[in-house]
Amino acid sequence: MTVTTDTGARTDEAASLIGDARSRIDTLDDRIIGLIQERMAVSAVIQEARISSGGRRVSLSREMEVLGHFRDALGKPGTALAMTLLELCRGRI
């Protein structure tokens, strides 16, 4: 039995499966990053419109909606993920 160091698998079959799954995860991560960058750009448009109309940069009630949406969909860790996302999207203008 050989353990492949890069996957931790003990068989070639498992190593192949892990390698394929990791490749898919890398592709998904790239898509997620792209979507986050798109969200940041859309958020900047919203903030700019809000500020230029005399409003505040951030809408706390909207942020609470986002937090609740992520929490409902993903559980408690979803709240932390949403907070990070909101931080990334604040003040980019």
Side-chain angles (χ1 to χ4, degrees), residues 33-51:
I33 290 167
L35 289 169
I36 291 169
Q37 290 169 330
E38 182 178 350
R39 189 190 193 287
M40 290 167 68
V42 172
S43 182
V45 169
I46 291 168
Q47 289 176 56
E48 192 171 309
R50 193 180 292 124
I51 291 169

Side-chain angles (χ1 to χ4, degrees), residues 1-61:
M1 213 173 351
T2 310
V3 176
T4 56
T5 56
D6 59 332
T7 65
R10 294 180 179 243
T11 66
D12 290 339
E13 183 181 339
S16 177
L17 182 110
I18 291 167
D20 291 346
R22 284 182 177 174
S23 178
R24 181 144 188 245
I25 285 174
D26 291 344
T27 299
L28 290 167
D29 285 347
D30 288 341
R31 288 172 52 197
I32 291 166
I33 290 167
L35 289 169
I36 291 169
Q37 290 169 330
E38 182 178 350
R39 189 190 193 287
M40 290 167 68
V42 172
S43 182
V45 169
I46 291 168
Q47 289 176 56
E48 192 171 309
R50 193 180 292 124
I51 291 169
S52 67
S53 71
R56 304 177 106 191
R57 179 175 53 87
V58 175
S59 170
L60 296 180
S61 63

